[in-house]
Amino acid sequence: SAPLVAPPSAPPSAPPPTGAPSVATSTQATSAPPASAVSTTMWLRSTTVAPLVWKPSPTPTAAPTAAPSVAPSGPTAPPSGPTSEPPGAPSSAPPSMPPTVPPSEPTASPQHMTIRSGHVVYLRARSGKYLGDTNGQIVASWDTKNGTDQAFVLQTAPQLSGGAGAEIRSGDTVFLTAHTGMRVTVQGSSHETWPRAALNTVHAFWDHTGSWQNLRLQRIAGEGVLRAGDEVLLQGHTGNYISAENGAVAATRDFPGWYETLAIEAAVAADAAPGSSGRSFLQ
C-alpha cells in the first residue's frame, strides 16, 4: 500500500497590522483537514495574535463635590471695613439717616432755675452751713439739707396767698416762711414780746407779715432775675444785714461782708404757703 503522506498545512495568515485589535480570524478551510492537521492549524491560529500595544489608563478624576445648600438666615450685613472705592468717588450707598428722636420738653435745671415767688429754697452760708429753724430760733448749724428744717418758702408781698408767681428780682422785698408756717423776723426792739427776743436777733416765732418780716433781697452779681446758685444779701427793716457767724444768725451789721453773703439753692415749689397752724408744708 502507498505510504500516508500528510497534506500540506495551510500557510499561516499574515499577522495583523500594528495597533489592530487583537481579534483572532474565524476563517475556516473549505475542506476539513485530518484531525492532526486541524489541531496544528488551531494551535497556529491561537498563537497568531496581534502584538499588544500598551496604553496608559486614564487618571481617575474625582467627581466634583457639591457645596452644601445653606438657606440664608437673614439680610447680609454690609462690610464694616473701608471700601475699595477710589478717593473722591461718590458713595453708591444711600446716606444713613440719624434715628428720629422726639424732642423732649425743656426742663429747668435745679442748679440754675429761675426762682419765683412761692418756691422752696435753702440758704447756705459762706462757711458751708445751712440756715434752718430750730424751735423758732434761726441758726446755721447743718452741713447738709434734709428737706424740712432748712427749707424756706420765698415769697413776695403780693403772693403771700401761696403758689408760684412772678420772678423774683434783685431789690425785691421778700418774706421767708419756715417749715412751721412762721416767718423769719428781724427783732426791732427789746421791749416785751412773746417769746422774748433780744434786739437784732433773727427768729421765726410769728406768722406776721409786718415790717419786721420784710427782707430786702440783693444779688451780689447785681441787678437781674434771681436764679438758683446766686449769692444774695438779706437786709432787715433796721438796715442791718442777716449774717451767719459761728452758727449764730443775727442782724447786727449795716454793711455787707463775708458773713452776710448767703447762697440760694432751689428745692421745689410749695403747693401752698404755710399757714398759722404750725403744720409743716413739706408733709
Side-chain angles (χ1 to χ4, degrees), residues 54-60:
W54 179 83
K55 294 182 179 180
S57 58
T59 304

Side-chain angles (χ1 to χ4, degrees), residues 5-13 29 31-45:
V5 179
S9 57
S13 57
S31 60
S36 59
V38 170
S39 60
T40 305
T41 305
M42 294 301 294
W43 180 84
L44 291 173
R45 288 183 179 178

Side-chain angles (χ1 to χ4, degrees), residues 200 239-245 250-257 259-260:
N200 293 328
N240 295 340
Y241 294 90
I242 292 179
S243 63
E245 184 175 358
T252 57
R253 290 186 284 266
D254 60 356
F255 54 90
Y259 293 112
E260 288 74 31

Side-chain angles (χ1 to χ4, degrees), residues 84-186:
S84 58
E85 295 180 355
S91 174
S92 57
S96 59
M97 300 298 293
T100 303
V101 179
S104 57
E105 292 294 330
T107 57
S109 170
Q111 289 76 21
H112 304 286
M113 65 179 293
T114 300
I115 304 297
R116 296 177 178 272
S117 179
H119 281 182
V120 178
V121 298
Y122 300 101
L123 298 173
R124 178 169 45 84
R126 281 280 182 89
S127 63
K129 303 291 185 177
Y130 286 91
L131 278 64
D133 178 7
T134 301
N135 299 322
Q137 298 287 342
I138 303 301
V139 294
S141 57
W142 289 274
D143 293 322
T144 59
K145 49 185 181 289
N146 61 20
T148 302
D149 291 344
Q150 299 84 32
F152 296 93
V153 175
L154 183 63
Q155 295 169 302
T156 56
Q159 302 292 335
L160 284 181
S161 59
E167 297 173 342
I168 297 179
R169 305 182 67 86
S170 181
D172 285 352
T173 298
V174 298
F175 298 91
L176 285 173
T177 307
H179 66 96
T180 59
M182 304 302 173
R183 292 184 176 87
V184 174
T185 301
V186 175

Side-chain angles (χ1 to χ4, degrees), residues 126 170 218-222 230-233 256-257 260-262:
R126 281 280 182 89
S170 181
Q218 304 173 38
R219 295 175 69 241
I220 297 294
D230 285 352
E231 289 187 325
V232 299
L233 303 171
E260 288 74 31
T261 302
L262 305 173

Side-chain angles (χ1 to χ4, degrees), residues 49-65:
V49 293
L52 296 177
V53 179
W54 179 83
K55 294 182 179 180
S57 58
T59 304
T61 57
T65 304

